[in-house]
Amino acid sequence: MKHIEWKDHKLYLLDQRLLPGRTVITENVTVEDVCDKIRTLAVRGAPAISITAAYGMVIAAESFRAGDFQSHMEENHRRLAATRPTAVNLFWALAEMKKVWSAADAAEAPALLLAKAREIEADDVRRCRRLSAHGAALLPAGARILTHCNAGALATGGYGTALGIIRRGCEEGKVAMVYADETRPLLQGARLTAYELMEDGVPVTLITDNMAAHMMKSGKIDLVITGADRIAANGDAANKIGTYGVAVLAAYHRVPFYITAPLSTFDLTIPTGSDIIIEERDGDEVRSLGGVFTAPKDVPVENPAFDVTPHELIKAIITEEGVIEGDFERGIRAQFEAAAKG
Ligand code: MRU
């Protein structure tokens, strides 16, 4: 089953909000349908959002009827860009699509944009496979790995970043256990990571977020690997809320903490993580669990969807170009230069 699929001028998306209980594929035929799926986390995870938005721009081009094509595309680009603010992959993919539509007319644009969206999707799978090979090489034998949120097939074009490394490590016989933080408030770890790994036969144990310190202290975690939504030029990395806490715990317990992401997750226009916009989501996500209120309905809450882990707490960043350690700023720049040379 593909979680993102373009067929007969429609975008089919697996509704990740309903997993693992129900497997529902939604049919999306308007840009608003696509925006809604991204906004409500029916599709989520930085690379998956970017691929979805790329197909959204194909829908935009196909829906053009009359008027000025470029303004029509600009307006739809703006709508898709306004869905979620933190994951930079969304803006990266929209910029890639813009290079195509801004140089095309209304008649030729749909086919050119579809080819580009398919390329972005296939490219993400290639990048994830490459970074997974680099990451798996770092795993010790019998590794017990903690991960936070879901950076798996569902969050990407179909292979995964953190879970890609884990999958590859499993194939190499190196993974003894994966501990999945449940990842409140929306439980991406419990609902998606546990589900994905069990489907693949990877040994996984679910823990609540507040158990990580105890697990590390008990010597049950050898390393932590998470994905990222935006990485600044100095290596500071935004990821799902709670990631920073896990990194602090890992530093205290001397457990290596790794971030992994393709280069499409880096934002070299921002020098540090303090420039990353953190999405604030609806308070009811914190007040409730699975649609049931677990707190007074009017209690004030904060609900930042992401936090930023300072690069000092990161042992290494793993990308499709290799492993960056030590001077992150230099290492990141060198990887971009290498990637540009091909
Ligand atoms: O709010 P989400 O579910 O989109 O957050 C997802 C994450 O934080 C992932 O860890 C990140 O996007 C990396 S996915 C390869």
Side-chain angles (χ1 to χ4, degrees), residues 41 44-47 84 149-151 155-156 161 188 228-229 239-240 306:
L41 271 59
R44 33 64 53 202
R84 295 192 75 189
C149 195
N150 173 267
T156 61
T161 56
Q188 286 93 331
D229 289 84
N239 191 49
K240 178 54 53 195
F306 301 96

Side-chain angles (χ1 to χ4, degrees), residues 75-145:
E75 168 61 13
N76 284 296
H77 177 112
R78 199 191 53 70
R79 286 167 70 196
L80 283 158
T83 50
R84 295 192 75 189
T86 304
V88 76
N89 309 57
L90 170 66
F91 308 102
W92 170 82
L94 287 173
E96 289 293 300
M97 297 301 278
K98 186 170 183 173
K99 285 181 200 160
V100 177
W101 60 256
S102 59
D105 64 32
E108 64 191 355
L112 295 173
L113 287 168
L114 179 56
K116 186 66 187 175
R118 288 200 194 282
E119 185 189 314
I120 288 173
E121 183 178 3
D123 178 57
D124 180 70
V125 176
R126 278 195 300 272
R127 290 174 190 242
C128 285
R129 283 190 184 280
R130 286 178 63 202
L131 69 79
S132 296
H134 294 305
L138 299 174
L139 299 179
R144 296 161 305 166
I145 306 166

Side-chain angles (χ1 to χ4, degrees), residues 243-307:
T243 304
Y244 171 43
V246 175
V248 171
L249 294 176
Y252 182 80
H253 293 97
R254 299 185 201 292
V255 169
F257 178 92
Y258 296 98
I259 289 276
T260 178
L263 293 185
S264 53
T265 303
F266 288 71
D267 182 354
L268 301 192
T269 68
I270 54 170
T272 75
S274 52
D275 300 311
I276 297 175
I277 297 169
I278 300 294
E279 177 182 9
E280 269 293 328
R281 294 188 60 84
D282 194 296
D284 280 354
E285 292 179 353
V286 176
R287 293 185 195 98
S288 61
L289 197 57
V292 177
F293 275 88
T294 54
K297 284 189 177 162
D298 51 358
V299 66
V301 297
E302 298 228 2
N303 189 14
F306 301 96
D307 56 27

